[in-house]
Coordinates of all heavy atoms in Angstrom, one line a residue:
R156 N 159.6 113.6 150.6 CA 158.9 114.8 150.8 C 157.5 114.6 151.4 O 156.9 113.6 151.2 CB 158.8 115.5 149.4 CG 160.1 115.7 148.7 CD 160.9 116.8 149.4 NE 160.5 118.1 148.7 CZ 160.8 119.3 149.1 NH1 161.4 119.4 150.3 NH2 160.5 120.4 148.4
G157 N 157.0 115.6 152.1 CA 155.7 115.6 152.6 C 155.3 117.0 153.1 O 155.8 118.0 152.6
Y158 N 154.3 117.0 154.0 CA 153.8 118.2 154.5 C 153.9 118.3 156.0 O 153.8 117.3 156.7 CB 152.3 118.4 154.2 CG 152.0 118.3 152.7 CD1 151.6 117.1 152.1 CD2 152.1 119.4 151.9 CE1 151.4 117.1 150.7 CE2 151.8 119.4 150.5 CZ 151.5 118.2 150.0 OH 151.2 118.2 148.6
A159 N 154.1 119.5 156.5 CA 153.9 119.8 158.0 C 152.5 119.6 158.3 O 151.6 119.8 157.4 CB 154.5 121.1 158.3
V160 N 152.2 119.3 159.6 CA 150.8 119.2 160.0 C 150.5 120.1 161.1 O 151.3 120.5 161.9 CB 150.5 117.7 160.4 CG1 150.5 116.8 159.1 CG2 151.4 117.2 161.4
D161 N 149.2 120.5 161.2 CA 148.8 121.3 162.4 C 148.4 120.5 163.6 O 148.6 119.2 163.5 CB 147.6 122.2 162.0 CG 146.4 121.4 161.5 OD1 146.3 120.2 161.8 OD2 145.5 122.0 160.8
A162 N 147.9 121.1 164.6 CA 147.6 120.3 165.8 C 146.6 119.2 165.6 O 146.6 118.2 166.3 CB 147.1 121.3 166.9
G163 N 145.7 119.4 164.6 CA 144.7 118.4 164.3 C 145.2 117.3 163.4 O 144.5 116.4 163.0
G164 N 146.5 117.4 162.9 CA 147.0 116.4 162.0 C 146.7 116.7 160.5 O 147.1 115.9 159.7
A165 N 146.2 117.9 160.2 CA 145.9 118.2 158.8 C 147.1 118.8 158.1 O 147.9 119.6 158.8 CB 144.7 119.2 158.7
P166 N 147.4 118.4 156.9 CA 148.6 118.9 156.2 C 148.5 120.5 156.0 O 147.5 121.0 155.7 CB 148.6 118.2 154.9 CG 147.2 117.8 154.6 CD 146.6 117.5 156.0
T167 N 149.7 121.1 156.1 CA 149.7 122.6 155.9 C 151.0 122.9 155.1 O 152.0 122.2 155.2 CB 149.8 123.3 157.3 OG1 151.0 122.9 158.0 CG2 148.6 123.0 158.1
G168 N 150.9 124.0 154.4 CA 152.0 124.6 153.8 C 152.5 123.9 152.6 O 151.9 122.9 152.1
P169 N 153.7 124.3 152.0 CA 154.3 123.6 150.9 C 155.0 122.3 151.3 O 155.0 121.9 152.4 CB 155.3 124.7 150.4 CG 155.7 125.4 151.7 CD 154.5 125.4 152.5
L170 N 155.5 121.6 150.3 CA 156.3 120.4 150.5 C 157.5 120.7 151.4 O 158.2 121.6 151.3 CB 156.8 119.8 149.2 CG 155.7 119.1 148.3 CD1 156.4 118.6 147.1 CD2 155.0 118.0 149.1
V171 N 157.7 119.8 152.3 CA 158.9 119.8 153.2 C 159.5 118.4 153.3 O 158.8 117.4 153.0 CB 158.5 120.3 154.6 CG1 158.0 121.7 154.6 CG2 157.5 119.4 155.3
D172 N 160.8 118.3 153.8 CA 161.4 117.0 154.0 C 160.7 116.4 155.2 O 160.5 117.1 156.2 CB 162.9 117.2 154.3 CG 163.6 117.8 153.0 OD1 163.1 117.6 151.9 OD2 164.7 118.3 153.2
I173 N 160.5 115.1 155.2 CA 159.9 114.4 156.3 C 161.1 114.2 157.4 O 162.1 113.5 157.1 CB 159.4 113.0 155.9 CG1 158.2 113.2 154.9 CG2 158.9 112.2 157.1 CD1 157.0 113.7 155.5
T174 N 160.9 114.7 158.5 CA 161.9 114.6 159.6 C 161.2 114.3 160.9 O 160.0 114.4 161.1 CB 162.6 116.0 159.8 OG1 161.7 117.0 160.2 CG2 163.3 116.4 158.5
L175 N 162.0 113.7 161.8 CA 161.6 113.5 163.2 C 161.7 114.8 164.0 O 162.6 115.0 164.7 CB 162.5 112.4 163.8 CG 162.3 111.0 163.2 CD1 163.4 110.0 163.8 CD2 160.9 110.4 163.4
D176 N 160.7 115.6 163.7 CA 160.7 117.0 164.3 C 160.3 116.9 165.8 O 159.2 116.6 166.1 CB 159.8 117.9 163.5 CG 159.8 119.3 164.0 OD1 160.7 119.7 164.8 OD2 158.8 120.0 163.7
T177 N 161.2 117.3 166.6 CA 161.0 117.3 168.1 C 161.0 118.7 168.7 O 161.1 118.9 169.9 CB 162.0 116.4 168.8 OG1 163.3 116.9 168.5 CG2 161.9 115.0 168.4
A178 N 160.8 119.7 167.8 CA 160.8 121.1 168.2 C 159.5 121.3 169.1 O 158.4 120.8 168.8 CB 160.8 122.0 167.0
G179 N 159.6 122.1 170.1 CA 158.5 122.5 170.9 C 158.2 121.5 172.1 O 157.2 121.7 172.8
L180 N 159.1 120.5 172.2 CA 158.9 119.6 173.4 C 159.3 120.3 174.7 O 160.2 121.1 174.7 CB 159.7 118.3 173.1 CG 159.3 117.4 171.9 CD1 160.2 116.2 171.9 CD2 157.8 117.0 172.0
G181 N 158.7 119.8 175.7 CA 159.0 120.4 177.0 C 160.4 119.9 177.5 O 160.9 118.9 176.9
P182 N 160.9 120.4 178.5 CA 162.2 120.0 179.1 C 162.2 118.5 179.5 O 161.3 118.1 180.1 CB 162.5 120.9 180.3 CG 161.6 122.1 180.0 CD 160.4 121.6 179.3
G183 N 163.2 117.8 179.0 CA 163.3 116.4 179.4 C 162.5 115.5 178.6 O 162.5 114.3 178.8
V184 N 161.6 116.0 177.7 CA 160.7 115.1 176.9 C 161.4 114.7 175.7 O 162.0 115.5 174.9 CB 159.4 115.8 176.6 CG1 158.5 114.9 175.7 CG2 158.7 116.3 177.8
T185 N 161.4 113.4 175.4 CA 162.1 112.8 174.2 C 161.1 112.0 173.4 O 160.1 111.6 173.9 CB 163.3 112.0 174.6 OG1 162.9 110.9 175.5 CG2 164.3 112.8 175.4
L186 N 161.5 111.7 172.2 CA 160.7 110.8 171.3 C 161.0 109.4 171.7 O 162.1 108.9 171.6 CB 161.1 111.1 169.9 CG 160.4 110.3 168.8 CD1 158.9 110.6 168.8 CD2 161.0 110.5 167.4
S187 N 159.9 108.7 172.0 CA 160.1 107.3 172.4 C 160.0 106.3 171.2 O 160.7 105.4 171.1 CB 159.0 106.9 173.4 OG 159.2 107.7 174.6
S188 N 159.0 106.6 170.3 CA 158.8 105.7 169.2 C 158.0 106.5 168.1 O 157.5 107.6 168.4 CB 158.0 104.4 169.5 OG 156.7 104.7 170.0
Y189 N 157.9 105.9 166.9 CA 157.1 106.6 165.9 C 156.6 105.5 164.9 O 157.0 104.3 164.9 CB 158.0 107.5 165.1 CG 159.2 106.9 164.5 CD1 159.2 106.2 163.3 CD2 160.5 106.9 165.1 CE1 160.3 105.5 162.7 CE2 161.6 106.3 164.6 CZ 161.5 105.6 163.4 OH 162.6 105.0 162.9
N190 N 155.6 105.9 164.1 CA 155.0 105.0 163.2 C 154.3 105.7 162.1 O 153.9 106.9 162.3 CB 154.0 104.0 163.8 CG 152.8 104.7 164.4 OD1 151.9 105.0 163.8 ND2 152.9 104.9 165.8
F191 N 154.2 105.1 160.9 CA 153.4 105.7 159.8 C 152.0 105.0 159.7 O 152.0 103.8 159.8 CB 154.1 105.5 158.5 CG 155.3 106.4 158.3 CD1 156.6 106.0 158.6 CD2 155.1 107.7 157.8 CE1 157.7 106.9 158.4 CE2 156.2 108.6 157.6 CZ 157.5 108.1 157.9
G192 N 151.0 105.8 159.6 CA 149.7 105.2 159.4 C 149.3 105.0 157.9 O 150.1 105.4 157.0
S193 N 148.2 104.4 157.7 CA 147.8 104.2 156.3 C 147.5 105.5 155.5 O 147.5 105.5 154.3 CB 146.5 103.3 156.2 OG 145.5 103.9 156.9
D194 N 147.3 106.6 156.3 CA 147.1 107.9 155.7 C 148.4 108.6 155.4 O 148.4 109.7 155.0 CB 146.2 108.7 156.6 CG 146.7 108.8 158.0 OD1 147.8 108.3 158.3 OD2 146.1 109.5 158.8
G195 N 149.6 107.9 155.8 CA 150.9 108.6 155.5 C 151.3 109.5 156.6 O 152.3 110.2 156.5
V196 N 150.5 109.6 157.7 CA 150.9 110.5 158.8 C 151.9 109.9 159.7 O 151.7 108.7 160.1 CB 149.6 110.9 159.6 CG1 150.0 111.8 160.8 CG2 148.7 111.7 158.7
L197 N 153.0 110.6 159.9 CA 154.1 110.2 160.9 C 153.7 110.6 162.3 O 153.5 111.8 162.5 CB 155.4 110.8 160.5 CG 156.6 110.5 161.4 CD1 156.9 109.1 161.6 CD2 157.8 111.3 161.0
R198 N 153.4 109.7 163.1 CA 153.0 109.9 164.5 C 154.1 109.5 165.5 O 154.6 108.4 165.4 CB 151.7 109.2 164.8 CG 150.5 109.7 164.0 CD 149.2 108.9 164.3 NE 148.1 109.5 163.5 CZ 147.8 109.2 162.3 NH1 148.5 108.3 161.6 NH2 146.7 109.7 161.7
G199 N 154.3 110.4 166.5 CA 155.4 110.1 167.5 C 154.7 109.9 168.8 O 153.7 110.5 169.2

Side-chain angles (χ1 to χ4, degrees):
R156 306 283 271 166
Y158 301 97
V160 293
D161 58 21
T167 62
L170 286 179
V171 298
D172 296 336
I173 297 290
T174 61
L175 293 173
D176 181 15
T177 57
L180 296 179
V184 179
T185 58
L186 178 65
S187 300
S188 64
Y189 57 83
N190 64 80
F191 284 95
S193 61
D194 54 1
V196 174
L197 173 62
R198 295 176 174 88

